[in-house]
Amino acid sequence: MNPKSPEARNREGNPFEGLLITDSQILNKIDNRSCCSRCQKSRMYFCYTCFIPVPQLEGCIPHCKLPIKVDIIKHRREIDGKSTAAHAAVLASLDVNIYTYPEIPEYDPNSRTVLLFPGTQSSSVRELFSGKQNSKSYSEQLLEQLPLGYNVGTLRTKLFENDNFVDEIYHVEKLPIDRLVLIDSTWNQSRGIYADKRLQSLPTVVLQHRASQFWRHQKGSPRWYLSTIEALHQFLLELHICAWGQSEQYSTYLTSQYPIHNPKDDHPQCKPYNGEYDDLLYFFKFMYEKLHKLYKHEDLLAYTRSMT
């Protein structure tokens, strides 16, 4: 959904409406830090070094099973306690690995691996299925749409007409990729990591626009610059719904323009999306709500950023 629309702006009061996120009341019972059972460092809800919950929460938080493997490349200057990358590693521990740059796995250019990055040759998630790219190259569209003073690789300012939403279900037997690589850093830092030759061979993809609910302000960045956990959630939404559609019972503004799988269709391989990855936002939603009890939404700089 276009974050500039009135509907998107009206969702600020309850941005998680419709998402199937496990109740986090148990987190409210944690009022003191405790030692991580591995590294013995003082942590509140989970250890962002070892990526495990504190002892009081072991076995009490949800676990997400992802359809692909995920590698997160973290900039060494990214503050561990402020990054949402750890949320993914804790909640989807079997499928997510975190590396600190310059530690990067060696990726086979022929493997089914993609990098989430808005490069000039990036494809949409939908194009992973169709194999088709826009009639105009991504860089040509960028050049047409960017205001004066912006570099072509710096900022994607708006949605393109033929890229507004996922409008087709491909009913595939198998997803088109096996692994996703994300860069966890500020925009300026990510450009440096992206320049690494070990990542240059990977095809890149971009996401549909989605207004970020992250409370950490980055000066000069628009609202659709997502936090790492939001970006992962958005990618998996698009991937799953492109492949198999969404369930008739699932209703959220994030997928309001995405196709619904008709159960009468003869596609037994399809597994329509019904919130399978929403629990990736378990800690994110809890912290968002905790912060909004202390501060007014309109007083937080992160939510005053332009949508463009």
Side-chain angles (χ1 to χ4, degrees), residues 22-23 60-64 90-92 279 282:
T22 299
D23 185 274
C60 300
I61 63 172
H63 181 268
C64 297
V90 174
L91 295 166
D279 267 338
Y282 177 77

Side-chain angles (χ1 to χ4, degrees), residues 32-93:
N32 292 300
R33 289 174 168 266
S34 57
C35 291
C36 169
S37 58
R38 291 184 186 174
C39 68
Q40 302 303 310
K41 293 180 180 178
S42 178
R43 301 293 189 237
M44 193 67 179
Y45 305 109
F46 57 84
C47 180
Y48 45 76
T49 303
C50 303
F51 309 122
I52 58 173
V54 294
Q56 301 97 304
L57 294 177
E58 290 181 1
C60 300
I61 63 172
H63 181 268
C64 297
K65 173 60 179 173
L66 307 187
I68 58 173
K69 299 300 181 182
V70 176
D71 290 346
I72 300 176
I73 312 299
K74 185 175 70 70
H75 194 280
R76 63 181 181 277
R77 292 183 181 175
E78 189 70 8
I79 301 172
D80 290 339
K82 293 184 177 181
S83 169
T84 62
H87 298 193
V90 174
L91 295 166
S93 58

Side-chain angles (χ1 to χ4, degrees), residues 8-151:
R9 294 181 185 277
N10 290 336
R11 294 289 179 176
E12 295 288 9
N14 186 11
F16 306 100
E17 183 178 3
L19 295 173
L20 303 182
I21 302 175
T22 299
D23 185 274
S24 59
Q25 282 299 315
I26 191 170
L27 299 182
N28 288 318
K29 298 178 181 180
I30 307 295
D31 52 13
N32 292 300
R33 289 174 168 266
S34 57
C35 291
C36 169
S37 58
R38 291 184 186 174
C39 68
Q40 302 303 310
K41 293 180 180 178
S42 178
R43 301 293 189 237
M44 193 67 179
Y45 305 109
F46 57 84
C47 180
Y48 45 76
T49 303
C50 303
F51 309 122
I52 58 173
V54 294
Q56 301 97 304
L57 294 177
E58 290 181 1
C60 300
I61 63 172
H63 181 268
C64 297
K65 173 60 179 173
L66 307 187
I68 58 173
K69 299 300 181 182
V70 176
D71 290 346
I72 300 176
I73 312 299
K74 185 175 70 70
H75 194 280
R76 63 181 181 277
R77 292 183 181 175
E78 189 70 8
I79 301 172
D80 290 339
K82 293 184 177 181
S83 169
T84 62
H87 298 193
V90 174
L91 295 166
S93 58
L94 297 179
D95 299 310
V96 176
N97 291 304
I98 295 183
Y99 303 90
T100 301
Y101 188 78
E103 180 190 5
I104 297 179
E106 293 288 344
Y107 295 109
D108 182 345
N110 297 317
S111 66
R112 290 158 37 96
T113 300
V114 297
L115 171 67
L116 187 61
F117 192 84
T120 57
Q121 300 302 318
S122 296
S123 302
S124 67
V125 174
R126 173 158 41 96
E127 288 168 339
L128 295 176
F129 293 84
S130 67
K132 300 177 182 179
Q133 293 194 337
N134 299 323
S135 56
K136 290 184 180 180
S137 72
Y138 185 56
S139 57
E140 287 175 326
Q141 295 184 66
L142 281 170
L143 287 170
E144 289 180 359
Q145 302 295 343
L146 288 179
L148 291 175
Y150 285 102
N151 181 277

